[in-house]
Amino acid sequence: GGQSGGSSGGESGGSSGGSESDGTPTQTESNDSSSSGMDTSVLTADGSSTVFPITNTGASYWNSNPEAGDEDYWPQSWASEEYDTDMRLADFFAQDYGYESTGQRSVPPFRASVALSHSGTGVEGVMEGRVDIGDSSAPAQAELAGSGVSDATLDKFTDHVVGVDGQPIVVSREIYDAGVTQITIEQLRQIYRQEITNWSELGGPDREILALGRAEGSGTDTAFRNNVFGDPNAPISPDQRFGQNQQLQQAIGQVDNAIAYIALAFVEPDGATPPIGLEIDGTVYEYGNNLGAQEYPLSRDLHAYTWEGTSRKEACFINFLLSDFGQETFVASNNYFKLPKDRLRTEREKVAPSNFS
Amino acid sequence: MLQSIQTRATHELSAAATFARNYRVRTEDGALLMHLLGGLSTAVAFVLFLQGSQWTIVPILALLATAVIGWRRYQAELVKGLTFLTTVATVSILSLIIVFLLLRSAPIVAEMGLSLLTRTGQPLWGQNDVYALTPMMIGTALTTVIATIIAAPLGIAGAVFVSEIAPRRLREVVKPGIELMAGIPSITYGFIGLTIFNQYLYTEFRTPTIGNYFAAGIMIGIMALPTVVSVAEDALSTVPESMQSGSLAMGSTNWQTTKSVTIPAALSGVSAGVLLGVGRAMGETMAATVMLSHTKGFPTPVFDVFTNYGETLTTVIAFEGGNASGLHMSALFAAGVVLFFMVMVLSVTSQWIEWRMHTKLGGENA
Amino acid sequence: MSNVERTGLVTGESSLGDLVANVVIAVSLLGFLASWGTIFQWLDETGTYVGFQLFHLLGGSLFVLAAGLAFAGLGSYFDYVDSTPSDSAGLTVGAIFGLLWAIVGGLAAAQWGGNALVVWGSGAVAFGLLGCVAAIYPREDLGSTLPIALLLGLIGYVIVSGHINAGWTWTPGWTGAEFPGSELVPVLVIHGALLGLWSAAKARRGYGAQGRQHGAYWLVGLTVFSMLGVLALLIMFIIVQGLDVMLTGASLTGGQVRLFGVTLPWIEVPFVTNVPGGLFVDIPGVMPAIVGTLWLVLGAVTFAVPLGVGAAIFLTEYAEQGRFTQLVEVATNGLWSTPSIVFGLFGLAFLVPRISGGNSIFVGQLVLGFMLLPLVLITSREAIKAVPDEYRDASAALGVTKWETIRSVVVPAAMPGVITGVILGVGRIAGETAPLLLVFGGSPFPSAGPQVLQSFRFSTTPPFVTNEALLSPASALPYQLYSSITAGVFDHPAFSSTEYGWGTALVLLLLVIGLYAVGVGSRIYFRRKLHHE
Amino acid sequence: MSNVELDQTEDAQPDQTTTGETDERVREEWLDYDFAGETKLSATDLDVYYGDDHALDGISIDIPAESVTALIGPSGCGKSTFLRCLNRMNDRIKAARVEGSVELDGEEIYQDGINLVELRKRVGMVFQAPNPFPKSIRDNISYGPRKHGDIDKGLLARLLGRDDREKERELVERSLKNAALWDEVNDRLDDNALGLSGGQQQRLCIARCLATDPEVILMDEPASALDPIATAKIEDLIGDLAEDYTVVIVTHNMQQAARISDQTAVFLTGGQLVEYGDTDQIFENPRSQRVEDYITGKFG
Amino acid sequence: MSNVELDQTEDAQPDQTTTGETDERVREEWLDYDFAGETKLSATDLDVYYGDDHALDGISIDIPAESVTALIGPSGCGKSTFLRCLNRMNDRIKAARVEGSVELDGEEIYQDGINLVELRKRVGMVFQAPNPFPKSIRDNISYGPRKHGDIDKGLLARLLGRDDREKERELVERSLKNAALWDEVNDRLDDNALGLSGGQQQRLCIARCLATDPEVILMDEPASALDPIATAKIEDLIGDLAEDYTVVIVTHNMQQAARISDQTAVFLTGGQLVEYGDTDQIFENPRSQRVEDYITGKFG
Ligand SMILES: Nc1ncnc2c1ncn2[C@@H]1O[C@H](COP(=O)(O)OP(=O)(O)OP(=O)(O)O)[C@@H](O)[C@H]1O
Ligand SMILES: Nc1ncnc2c1ncn2[C@@H]1O[C@H](COP(=O)(O)OP(=O)(O)OP(=O)(O)O)[C@@H](O)[C@H]1O
Ligand SMILES: [Mg+2]
Ligand SMILES: [Mg+2]
Ligand SMILES: O=P([O-])([O-])[O-]
């Protein structure tokens, strides 16, 4: 069955020719490595749409396994200057964990597949063994708060933080242009309790406020409630909820009277979703300025949870995300904050290859 | 009373005994053994599967082996046995669905009792282990009613047009065309609804949210329309030609014939078509999921279809099914149960109506 | 079509009455179309056409209708025009007119008298009764024209005089939504045009039984064509939006295909043949989703067809028609109308933990198989029942056993019906999304399709055969479309999420409609074949 | 039937050409045939095609008023087709094309602008299988008159006091009596007509037809689906009807034709009208050999 | 048929009781009737009930070998029911209950353990409407023998070289020749049988029946759906078949019965066999008044 594999699975760099040779070696390769006792099955991840850009971009790079010197994806500046290697990207990051190199484009030592839903799903999924890694943009205990999960269970989560988000508040372009560029956190609370319902109360035009939110169970929602209202289960009543960040972003762009909380990666300062400043205890937190600050209550860690420890395969991939290359390419370029040096060090230790020798 | 039950039971028992005896006499020993082995291995496979055992494969292989050997020796008996098994499997799937939905919804019923279906006070969903399906039931009712208002009259008009009015040429184009429409995936309708219709209503009519019951209901109605047309048209075209000729030969117009003879004679089939359409509308998930606002509450007044609240029984399952657990998940299963029974009632009703039609008209060729 | 129609169409010289009726019909059609055009924003609601403002044109057309209808009614009443009216327009017409006038009365009373129920309520009742009586009391020719003419004249006046214009809004108390004149006027004109059309068509045939038929046919015909128009527009819309995306980089000869070692130029459609994820794609495509959909369909068919056909054979050929068959019938019909999301829930609760522990192709196949099963059973049963008993009798009279008869005569004769049913069913499940959300979906934009064939492994421990790919999640066309709509984190320079969504929607539509077309076509083909030979 | 012809199976078929000539001669003869009554319906050179299929081949015939005319002939010879031409029910068959002329009381019915409703009111029809509407007996009878606006008993009429119940009652009684059904059903006029026996249903259909007060009644094998007793009743009824109406009846039962009809027209395969004349003469002394063969049961 | 009886409609019905008595007498007489050939099939006190409906009422009859026996009688009198008793096709009707005995060559067919397959091979059947399978002409003929394992041409057989094509070819040719169809279809044996004309289809059904080499052929109105020419061909064929086979034929066409049969049995309403005997005698000189009434067309 090599043929159909070639055509269906061949990631042939945009051209449909020459994909035939790809399929067969995959099989031999994975056969060999599975016989050598390494787990080469697909690494699955699911969960937060906030973390998704990080893990998914990581997975794309990983699965593509570009050769060193591929200026777009694994440039010399990184490969030879930073890491001093001429190996392919995934081959290189996997070798320390005992994986054999494949030496082929689009054939990583093991594949990674990242699904997309909410943080809640990721946390549930990793807990029930449905996926290897659970992406979450809120802490697991906040996600699971109120669902009667015991502390012993919570202890089985292994937390890996892969990036930091400074959740901004955004409004529709028209509102921003009409002069509402900053509100206080109390006003924000009132909006989401339906106590302020018209923009004129905030110095804007005479228009109803369309308070948008994310689905319950999404990390963004949980974090928002936790950070703004002080309780992950605080009752808030937005006018409308959306499944994922993107849908939310689109909706804000479509209308002329919306406000929303969203992940950094989805802010368009000059586009349809301009961020506004949030004043807390006299300090104004602004996009591009101080959202990453520890004091900004809406800033939050982006987690990649594993269950009951971390397996070699999981560690290998998370380490890839935590590498300097990963932080720069997957976190920073997606508009999130890289982990500070010291935190990076602790996180890397948790998944260091030495744990798996 | 008791006695009649008893006589009935003995009657049934003796009938079963006769059946068993006949079966025993008519079937060869080998075939009997084969049936026994097949039945046994299926049962074992099912029990193992229920427990999630990896050994499930063994009885399945045994069943296969029995079948292969049986095929060579007792083909006719084997086929009879196998087809019986498939029938049982079909019925079991439905029973399994019912059982599992009920089992998994038991915790929330234990927690909430009847208020699961009647609670109207805050909190409605998620706080303090309270999960009330009431807002979603209202939502389902609203979208279904709107969809029915669209689909039923237009669907019947379409059916009448296709079967009674359209010239034959046109009919040969329109009928398959409408059937094709029935095949358009609902997610596609949802995409259009989301990007076009929601947007239109929001900008032109300043609806409180982007997307509401009105928009979703209309989209679902359009979606159910081809089903109604198709089924109702089938019913209309089975009205015997002799009845229509009878009317025409007395000098009534085609339209009078349609109104006074054809539609009344096909009424049960037509209403079965409408009920089927209503069932589809009620169970429709994707379009509503992408179009509604996913906030739970009661519109005031209750017929305010432009309300900012927007959640139905189906959308809540699709929207939250992925990340629910514990009581929350159980509540979603309860939503499934409510949905299932509502649709089941519709299905049985439409079957009953159709059955009535058959007895009333004395079979198809009355 | 109807002979009545045909005769009438060529009757006699066109009289003045016919001419007026024809004009009214034409004007209503124009008004109807223009109003839809306004709603679809093809016409600018504040624009000027042929020297008039659009809304003045629309309102004016209602005036024309009113005048024409008044002439048609009075002309017939005073015998200027040949007609055969009945004594009365009838109760249905009366009820509808009453309702319309009640709305007018209620609104008018509310406008001038205030919002109290007594005020607008009594206005509504008074006008409603008046409208009703005006419709049913006089002879049909007056009753079915004058109340409409009056109503249309009134609406026309309100529009032309600018009482309701594009800027005007109606803000009822019961809802947060507002109804602007720019949308209300076309809606009013659409309904007015339909009324005028009906009445004029009736007048055109001289009222009476023939007139009623003519009126009804025009009304039903126009409604049905609008409905078909809307449905066609929906499809057109997807095609227009998605075609560019789907054909990005496509060429007739750009691709290559290897046949027996020879490389030949071939059609290239990168959007269809490429993967969406990964780094090395210039034009992201939907290949993995297509492969995923095909695997889903294949699995569902393998599961459902043997079960469904087997059960159909048992029920029709072996089982005694009685309570058991009735039970199965109720069960299958119930299964058939069970919402797909409920199947998804069941799969999540029952199959996922027992089979794959997580989302997987295999569970998706089973769940879709459950959904396909009742359809296969129902259509197979119909097909087997439709095999004439003569065949069975003939075979039995030749001394052939039951099973041999089923195998050699019944099943082959029923095959066309079964195949058609299966294709239609496949069309249905191929577009199914809801259950996939719960039991199937994985990475929304994968960099490779599921490699099912390569993943079979054999071992000596049960279950002896494993297939990791089958037990892993994947992507499918409808799932991918859902992901593009909701998640949309599809970031690629080639397309935006929405563009990618439209492209996916078009591919999905083509696939499903293609399947349906094959199904419907095969049914027509088999039917013809059966009837001709 | 005597046994004389029983062994004639092996007889040589008469030469085709000869037969044709004979028929031609015979035909001219009967075209001059003068009936007692005045002509009610008259067809001239009537051809009917179903697609390419020539179902009726130049039929010319005068049907006299207030008598029973029987059409007989083997299956598929076009009897039903001819009958349906007389009230233009053939218009409903898409494939059918009619050429030639049919006159009712001297008025052409195949002309433009003909009012089909009026035509079918005057030329009623009773079908082979009884086809009552699934309504009450009363509503079956009053269906036609109500649709023609002769009887109005809707809600509206009742409200306005313009109710025609009395008229309806009379009409129902008269029609049922004329169809010899009144005695059997007068106590259950509101029962569903589908509950009647086959013979009763057929008489109901006749009554329904009478209720619209037609001048001509066409019947297409009205008794072929009935048992002997019901058949006898229908036959009696037809005899009575001929006093007031012009009855044209298709039958495949030659004895029936002989028993009830005044004139008989014999159609033979190919849609030709081969012989037409007084019933007694046709059965006792047919002019054409083919008709004789047919009547004596050599084929068909 | 002569015209003598044409006006007898109004004749008084013979008194019911008298008729009954006459029949009884007549019946005893024909029960002793001796046919030339040996008895092939013999029914004794055969009763059939459909639910509570008594469809056959104590039929006793001996059918001689290698001759044509016709069953006639009005519609619904049980002719088809009786015919289906002779090869136990009535077993297929759920509601039917058969009592009494039928012997084929002296062997009871209503005994436990009878091999239905064998019985129906020996007693073949041809139905009213031609019902070929939607397969090729060749496959229609060889269907029976293949299912009985006499001819094997499956894939396996072909692979093993045990192909019976030659045998099949011969069988098809012989059967079609016997059914007088060979000349018309020998160049298109692989065409679909549904493409044949009605008469050809019916002869194909006869050929199909002959291919299983039966001893008795039952025919239920085999020509009633056919045109005169096809009918004539089938009638000729039946005459030829009687040389080798025992033919029992139901017909509603009395001339046909008279033309082709050696013996005739007359059933009348109520499922009674009223008269049975030499065909000439039955038609020329029926013993019972009811049979005479029936034959002369007073009813039915
Ligand atoms: N609707 C139709 N479409 C095509 N051909 C038709 C149609 N109706 C009748 N025919 C053909 O026209 C011919 C005459 O048919 P018609 O029904 O008039 O015969 P008939 O004398 O009434 O026969 P029968 O005694 O069987 O009722 C036949 O060859 C028949 O096949
Ligand atoms: N399957 C059946 N179920 C119930 N009653 C039946 C069935 N078949 C026949 N009958 C009844 O048995 C009686 C005899 O029927 P049968 O078909 O044998 O008559 P027939 O003489 O062949 O009539 P025809 O000339 O109409 O074919 C009839 O009263 C009929 O209604
Ligand atoms: Mg006819
Ligand atoms: Mg019969
Ligand atoms: O990160 P979330 O998608 O769960 O908000």
Side-chain angles (χ1 to χ4, degrees), chain D residues 50 53 55 73-82 84 93 95 128 220-221 250 252:
Chain D
Y50 289 114
D53 192 4
S75 185
C77 67
K79 306 180 295 291
S80 303
T81 301
F82 176 69
R84 285 199 307 266
I93 299 170
Q128 177 165 18
D220 194 351
E221 311 198 9
V250 168
H252 66 269

Side-chain angles (χ1 to χ4, degrees), chain B residues 46-100:
Chain B
F46 182 70
V47 169
L48 286 180
F49 183 71
L50 265 186
Q51 298 178 338
S53 161
Q54 59 175 358
W55 292 97
T56 312
I57 189 75
V58 176
I60 292 180
L61 288 179
L63 179 66
L64 272 179
T66 317
V68 169
I69 296 170
W71 181 259
R72 311 218 42 159
R73 295 259 187 86
Y74 312 101
Q75 220 178 77
E77 293 298 325
L78 170 78
V79 171
K80 198 167 173 179
L82 278 185
T83 53
F84 178 67
L85 268 188
T86 55
T87 314
V88 171
T90 308
V91 180
S92 330
I93 288 173
L94 189 74
S95 337
L96 271 180
I97 290 180
I98 297 176
V99 166
F100 265 81

Side-chain angles (χ1 to χ4, degrees), chain D residues 1-3 5-6 9-10 228 235-236 253-255 258-259 283-284 295-300, chain E residues 1-3 5-6 9-10 228 235-236 253-255 258-259 283-284 295-300:
Chain D
M1 181 211 306
S2 74
N3 313 307
E5 301 91 11
L6 286 179
T9 331
E10 301 304 308
E235 287 183 6
D236 287 351
N253 183 328
M254 271 169 283
Q255 287 95 336
R259 275 196 299 269
F283 279 90
E284 272 164 38
I295 289 179
T296 53
K298 282 244 183 76
F299 64 91
Chain E
M1 181 208 304
S2 74
N3 312 309
E5 303 89 11
L6 287 179
T9 331
E10 301 303 310
E235 287 183 6
D236 288 351
N253 182 328
M254 272 171 280
Q255 288 93 335
R259 277 196 296 269
F283 278 91
E284 274 162 38
I295 290 178
T296 52
K298 284 243 183 76
F299 65 90

Side-chain angles (χ1 to χ4, degrees), chain E residues 49-51 53-56 73-84 90 93-96 128 220-221 250-252 267 271:
Chain E
Y49 304 82
Y50 290 113
D53 191 5
H54 202 165
L56 282 186
S75 186
C77 66
K79 306 179 295 289
S80 304
T81 302
F82 175 69
L83 202 72
R84 285 200 306 266
N90 268 342
I93 298 169
K94 296 266 148 53
Q128 176 164 17
D220 194 350
E221 311 198 10
V250 168
T251 171
H252 67 268
F267 288 69

Side-chain angles (χ1 to χ4, degrees), chain C residues 81-463:
Chain C
V81 178
D82 277 346
S83 63
T84 51
S86 310
D87 287 344
S88 157
L91 208 59
T92 326
V93 174
I96 293 172
F97 285 15
L99 192 70
L100 292 176
W101 276 103
I103 294 174
V104 173
L107 286 177
Q111 183 74 26
W112 284 296
N115 249 332
L117 174 70
V118 233
V119 179
W120 66 259
S122 50
V125 169
F127 271 68
L129 277 179
L130 263 179
C132 183
V133 168
I136 58 183
Y137 191 71
R139 216 169 71 172
E140 189 188 16
D141 45 4
L142 290 188
S144 61
T145 51
L146 288 190
I148 292 189
L150 214 59
L151 186 67
L152 295 188
L154 191 68
I155 300 176
Y157 167 74
V158 170
I159 295 175
V160 172
S161 67
H163 278 82
I164 296 182
N165 57 26
W168 181 88
T169 47
W170 176 47
T171 41
W174 52 269
T175 179
E178 303 168 349
F179 301 89
S182 58
E183 310 302 310
L184 273 188
V185 167
V187 170
L188 279 176
V189 175
I190 285 175
H191 288 97
L194 280 176
L195 275 176
L197 180 80
W198 170 77
S199 180
K202 229 176 137 175
R204 178 71 181 73
R205 274 298 135 73
Y207 313 94
Q210 310 248 18
R212 284 199 294 273
Q213 159 159 316
H214 202 234
Y217 278 15
W218 267 101
L219 201 59
V220 173
L222 192 62
T223 318
V224 169
F225 273 105
S226 321
M227 175 178 107
L228 288 176
V230 168
L231 288 172
L233 267 182
L234 292 183
I235 294 184
M236 279 301 299
F237 191 77
I238 297 173
I239 294 178
V240 168
Q241 298 279 334
L243 198 63
D244 264 357
V245 178
M246 193 180 90
L247 294 184
T248 311
S251 74
L252 274 179
T253 52
Q256 291 171 338
V257 66
R258 280 259 192 90
L259 265 185
F260 312 113
V262 190
T263 308
L264 298 169
W266 187 246
I267 304 168
E268 184 191 32
V269 188
F271 187 78
V272 173
T273 53
N274 281 359
V275 299
L279 301 177
F280 308 120
V281 281
D282 302 326
I283 299 164
V286 292
M287 193 63 195
I290 294 180
V291 176
T293 295
L294 291 183
W295 277 115
L296 277 178
V297 164
L298 196 75
V301 167
T302 327
F303 172 79
V305 170
L307 274 189
V309 175
I313 290 177
F314 181 81
L315 289 173
T316 354
E317 301 288 324
Y318 291 115
E320 297 246 342
Q321 305 302 312
R323 226 174 304 156
F324 177 68
T325 48
Q326 241 169 16
L327 175 78
V328 179
E329 217 158 283
V330 171
T332 34
N333 283 325
L335 216 49
W336 171 227
S337 42
T338 300
S340 55
I341 189 78
V342 173
F343 280 99
L345 271 181
F346 171 67
L348 184 65
F350 182 65
L351 299 175
V352 167
R354 285 176 179 75
I355 292 178
S356 53
N359 288 2
S360 69
I361 300 181
F362 190 52
V363 175
Q365 290 173 327
L366 282 183
V367 168
L368 292 188
F370 290 162
M371 297 181 58
L372 184 59
L373 178 58
L375 184 69
V376 173
L377 204 164
I378 291 169
T379 48
S380 308
R381 240 193 122 181
E382 295 287 309
I384 294 176
K385 267 192 203 158
V387 174
D389 262 342
E390 281 86 64
Y391 290 162
R392 297 185 183 88
D393 283 349
S395 183
L398 288 169
V400 173
T401 60
K402 192 167 194 164
W403 162 236
E404 284 291 345
T405 304
I406 294 172
R407 193 167 85 142
S408 325
V409 179
V410 177
V411 171
M415 223 49 214
V418 175
I419 291 173
T420 307
V422 170
I423 296 174
L424 289 179
V426 164
R428 178 153 208 107
I429 58 165
E432 197 53 68
T433 321
L436 298 187
L437 292 185
L438 297 180
V439 303
F440 167 80
S443 165
F445 307 109
S447 55
Q451 316 234 336
V452 174
L453 284 182
Q454 292 96 317
S455 304
F456 281 103
R457 299 279 178 280
F458 300 91
S459 67
T460 48
T461 52

